Amino acid sequence: MAPSTTVGQISLPRQQRRLLQPIHSPKHKRVTATPPAGLIQELFGGDAPQPLKPRRASDETLAVHAGEKLGKDADEASTDSIATPIVSGTTHWFKSSEDLIAFKEGRRHSHEYGRYSNPTVKVLEDKISALERAEATLVTSSGMNAIVATLLALVPPGGHVVTTTDCYSEARAFIGDRLSKMGIRSTFIDLDDIESLEAVLEKDEVTLFYADSPTNPLHKCVDIRLVAELCHRKGTLVCIDSTLASPINQKPLTLGADIVLHSATKYMAGHHDVIAGCVSGSQALISKIRAWHHDLGGAISPNAAYMIIRGLKTMALRVEAHNRTALEMARLLECHPKIERVHYPGLESNPWHQVALSQMTGYGGVVSFEVKSDLCGTIRFVDALEIPLIATSLGGCESLVQQPAVMSFWGKDAEEKAKNGIKDNLVRFSFGIEKFEDLRDDILQALEKI
């Protein structure tokens, strides 16, 4: 299979291309008065200023405006509402049979039935595509639905998936247990041993490489450029789950990946109040995944789509706060006498720092660390915290904390925990947007309880 489409070749939807035009583009028609040459001379004391060079809109701007309906030129609806309308109708009508035929033949853009597409959902998909530099995006009812639809669409019976030993646990179970019953082989490799990937690629025909980057909860990082180069030589597709990074911190498609996945529940929605997933890539690949998604029925509701649209508008601001707090806290914990080890790729001492530095602009809001204590002592630390809530998930405004041995791996045997790098004293802290000093003081007082 061919490698991922390059950024320069990507053809974005018309409203996004219009948005991405710099404000000085001739496509932005503005009524302006042309000052006489004498006035320019008087104002600038010399030659007239040179026009600014065109530039791509920033992520901060794209998160607010990309995919939105832009007045009378909008594709989705003729409305001038600043807030994206929530179109709750499940089915859409056509003006005539001729209108319907034009839609079926692709000559007219519209919507037919809510399980296939929806105007509000389309706005969200276009916004995510702009942030990921993707040709197309599919938004689903959950991150797991996005993973399942992607694997079923891109890996046929007789295919071969290579993934990592510490990818998302439910994805790992689906790949190892469910796909094997469909005649699909799977190989699990350790990210610490990239030579094993090269060996598998040389030995077998691999359909898809699937991995999280960074991983959860130990924050290992896939060298996406290297992996994409190795896989594309053999015609293997590369799929990266970038949930722990967010589109603000990392853009796998620009690094060579073919597909990027997210649990949109996390940083994108950002408020612990909506479940969703998304997958972005080339139009050809997303069309294949969309066809499977239609059969699986994992459509997101328009109300949920609107909540994610609203969350995305502040994502850049929130992720900046997450990044800043997590990095400062990781540095503090690394020097604390009651902490054995800190897992965070933003630390220069972290073994994955150079990889993260080469492909990320920030390192996310999750920090994992090992307390100098046993299971019970670590429980005392977690219970002594006053600000964070003991809960799973990440990427929201509220700080969350969990002890994986008690939360995700409770009831698992020692071998299973060891295989996944889960120690009894490991803590995963998802920092919210509270004031750093408050979180710092809370963690320090809780450590004194050990």
Side-chain angles (χ1 to χ4, degrees):
M1 296 183 181
S4 173
T5 305
T6 59
V7 180
Q9 297 171 325
I10 286 176
S11 175
L12 294 173
R14 179 169 60 82
Q15 66 267 39
Q16 288 186 33
R17 294 200 304 271
R18 181 179 179 218
L19 176 67
L20 293 174
Q21 291 287 338
I23 61 173
H24 301 280
S25 167
K27 289 191 178 181
H28 285 263
K29 298 176 182 178
R30 297 189 176 188
V31 179
T32 57
T34 303
L39 179 57
I40 293 177
Q41 178 74 23
E42 180 181 343
L43 288 173
F44 296 100
D47 296 334
Q50 296 298 313
L52 296 175
K53 294 181 179 180
R55 61 184 296 272
R56 180 185 289 274
S58 66
D59 282 347
E60 290 84 350
T61 299
L62 291 175
V64 175
H65 294 294
E68 300 286 356
K69 305 175 186 67
L70 302 175
K72 63 183 180 62
D73 294 325
D75 288 334
E76 296 302 325
S78 55
T79 174
D80 290 317
S81 171
I82 293 176
T84 303
I86 301 173
V87 181
S88 58
T90 59
T91 190
H92 302 263
W93 62 279
F94 296 88
K95 297 176 182 178
S96 64
S97 296
E98 182 182 357
D99 190 38
L100 171 58
I101 292 170
F103 165 72
K104 290 292 186 180
E105 293 181 349
R107 293 182 283 109
R108 178 184 180 279
H109 174 71
S110 185
H111 303 275
E112 181 180 6
Y113 187 62
R115 183 159 55 87
Y116 307 142
S117 66
N118 170 275
T120 309
V121 175
K122 182 63 164 58
V123 170
L124 174 58
E125 290 176 341
D126 288 349
K127 190 181 290 289
I128 295 171
S129 290
L131 289 166
E132 289 288 8
R133 312 296 190 259
E135 287 183 357
T137 292
L138 169 67
V139 173
T140 66
S141 58
S142 70
M144 193 62 204
N145 185 272
I147 293 169
V148 170
T150 298
L151 291 169
L152 293 178
L154 301 184
V155 188
H160 186 183
V161 178
V162 175
T163 187
T164 61
T165 53
D166 48 6
C167 71
Y168 177 46
S169 59
E170 291 192 31
R172 186 169 63 245
F174 183 81
I175 292 170
D177 300 336
R178 308 291 192 274
L179 291 186
S180 63
K181 297 177 181 178
M182 303 176 191
I184 296 172
R185 292 175 296 151
S186 59
T187 300
F188 294 84
I189 65 168
D190 195 318
L191 275 178
D192 295 289
D193 181 18
I194 199 65
E195 288 78 13
S196 61
L197 172 61
E198 295 182 81
V200 174
L201 290 170
E202 286 295 331
K203 181 181 178 181
D204 297 316
E205 185 175 335
V206 178
T207 312
L208 178 75
F209 174 78
Y210 172 90
D212 297 15
S213 187
T215 63
N216 179 23
L218 299 180
H219 302 281
K220 297 180 180 180
C221 295
V222 175
D223 188 333
I224 300 173
R225 287 189 183 89
L226 174 60
V227 165
E229 181 181 351
L230 294 173
C231 288
H232 289 159
R233 287 177 190 169
K234 298 294 183 179
T236 300
L237 292 172
V238 175
C239 178
I240 300 295
D241 186 329
S242 193
T243 297
L244 256 69
S246 85
I248 300 299
N249 286 332
Q250 180 173 268
K251 302 186 188 302
L253 298 181
T254 68
L255 300 168
D258 301 284
I259 291 291
V260 56
L261 289 162
H262 287 273
S263 168
T265 306
K266 312 304 192 294
Y267 289 111
M268 288 186 179
H271 292 78
H272 300 309
D273 57 5
V274 60
I275 298 288
C278 63
V279 52
S280 304
S282 69
Q283 185 67 58
L285 291 177
I286 298 303
S287 293
K288 290 182 179 180
I289 299 169
R290 192 179 294 275
W292 266 93
H293 173 256
H294 291 170
D295 293 337
L296 293 171
I300 186 175
S301 76
N303 296 74
Y306 172 78
M307 293 174 73
I308 301 171
I309 290 169
R310 186 174 62 176
L312 281 171
K313 291 177 185 288
T314 60
M315 179 174 63
L317 298 174
R318 289 184 284 103
V319 169
E320 181 182 0
H322 292 307
N323 290 342
R324 182 175 58 251
T325 296
L327 181 57
E328 290 184 36
M329 196 64 72
R331 288 171 174 166
L332 183 150
L333 290 170
E334 188 177 36
C335 301
H336 197 283
K338 291 190 177 181
I339 299 298
E340 287 184 350
R341 185 178 181 184
V342 178
H343 301 270
Y344 190 67
L347 294 175
E348 293 183 6
S349 59
N350 187 276
W352 304 99
H353 178 68
Q354 288 305 315
V355 173
L357 188 65
S358 71
Q359 62 191 30
M360 301 179 73
T361 57
Y363 308 104
V366 179
V367 178
S368 296
F369 51 93
E370 297 167 22
V371 178
K372 282 187 178 178
S373 189
D374 56 11
L375 179 71
C376 293
T378 306
I379 288 175
R380 285 196 300 275
F381 163 74
V382 170
D383 288 348
L385 292 165
E386 298 176 358
I387 294 176
L389 305 166
I390 300 176
T392 189
S393 200
L394 58 99
C397 296
E398 300 86 359
S399 290
L400 306 179
V401 66
Q402 64 154 292
Q403 189 175 350
V406 176
M407 177 77 75
S408 307
F409 285 82
W410 183 255
K412 304 290 185 182
D413 58 38
E415 182 181 356
E416 177 73 9
K417 289 191 288 186
K419 186 170 64 176
N420 290 278
I422 303 301
K423 300 180 180 179
D424 287 345
N425 63 342
L426 180 68
V427 174
R428 194 194 78 170
F429 205 120
S430 173
F431 290 100
I433 61 172
E434 302 96 341
K435 191 174 180 62
F436 166 76
E437 287 78 9
D438 294 336
L439 292 166
R440 176 199 63 195
D441 293 347
D442 190 25
I443 288 177
L444 292 178
Q445 67 82 19
L447 285 172
E448 293 303 315
K449 303 295 193 298
I450 298 175

